[in-house]
Amino acid sequence: MGSWAMSKNVGDVIEVPLPSGGFAYAKLLDAPLVAFYDCFSDFGLQLEEVVQAPTAFKIWVMQDVVRARKWKKIGTTDLTLEDLRELKFFSRDAVSKQLIIHAGHNIQPGTMENCTGLEVAAVWTKPAIEERLEYHRRGEKSPLLSRHSAMLSGD
């Protein structure tokens, strides 16, 4: 994978402003992978408070989103073993309609069973991330995740 350019690096903890107000938090992993904490605040939190929260999800994020000035670095923390664990993502081939599992630089055929629970292999944009975070903050499932679930069943 890659590295983050500009003034942001692996291990940086980022404050993500939400459209409805308040903030979400994320840790930059090996680009383009970002871990989003299950942590929200109306007024901003200190690094020590954020890193105590569990990880809600890890997704690939467009680098220009991370580079944006609105995503502010609040500090840096070491990567954990969980941060370093290789993740699997899934996709569905547009032509063959076969499920595919992506693990690092490797791909392999997938099944409904071994793709269930995996994130879709997609690089997320700012509006999609914000929508997902807003729904997650309210304890609801994002419509985007519902569409990704439908991709599993081929709908």
Side-chain angles (χ1 to χ4, degrees):
M1 296 276 175
S3 63
W4 299 101
M6 310 280 283
S7 62
K8 294 179 180 146
N9 299 295
V10 170
D12 286 352
V13 176
I14 306 298
E15 186 174 71
V16 180
L18 297 173
S20 66
F23 302 96
Y25 297 88
K27 184 193 298 186
L28 302 185
L29 304 178
D30 193 21
L33 190 62
V34 176
F36 288 86
Y37 288 102
D38 195 2
C39 179
F40 300 90
S41 171
D42 290 329
F43 304 104
L45 296 174
Q46 298 298 312
L47 175 69
E48 297 75 25
E49 297 172 280
V50 173
V51 298
Q52 298 300 317
T55 299
F57 56 90
K58 297 176 187 176
I59 55 174
W60 294 331
V61 175
M62 294 184 72
Q63 284 205 11
D64 65 330
V65 174
V66 173
R67 289 182 189 140
R69 291 184 184 173
K70 289 186 177 189
W71 281 34
K72 294 181 181 167
K73 174 182 167 181
I74 63 166
T76 302
T77 187
D78 293 332
L79 298 184
T80 65
L81 290 176
E82 178 62 22
D83 293 334
L84 297 171
R85 184 175 61 88
E86 182 175 80
L87 294 180
K88 293 180 180 179
F89 295 85
F90 84 92
S91 65
R92 183 177 288 280
D93 185 273
V95 176
S96 71
K97 305 296 184 207
Q98 295 296 309
L99 289 168
I100 300 167
I101 293 178
H102 304 259
H105 295 289
N106 301 313
I107 61 170
Q108 63 190 45
T111 64
M112 284 280 290
E113 291 77 32
N114 61 18
C115 289
T116 299
L118 300 181
E119 290 282 349
V120 70
V123 181
W124 289 62
T125 62
K126 182 177 179 280
I129 295 164
E130 289 173 345
E131 176 185 298
R132 182 168 178 179
L133 288 168
E134 293 277 13
Y135 276 90
H136 186 78
R137 183 181 197 179
R138 295 191 305 265
E140 300 172 8
K141 185 174 181 179
S142 163
L144 284 170
L145 293 180
S146 297
R147 288 193 289 278
H148 292 166
S149 296
M151 182 191 293
L152 262 178
S153 61
D155 295 340

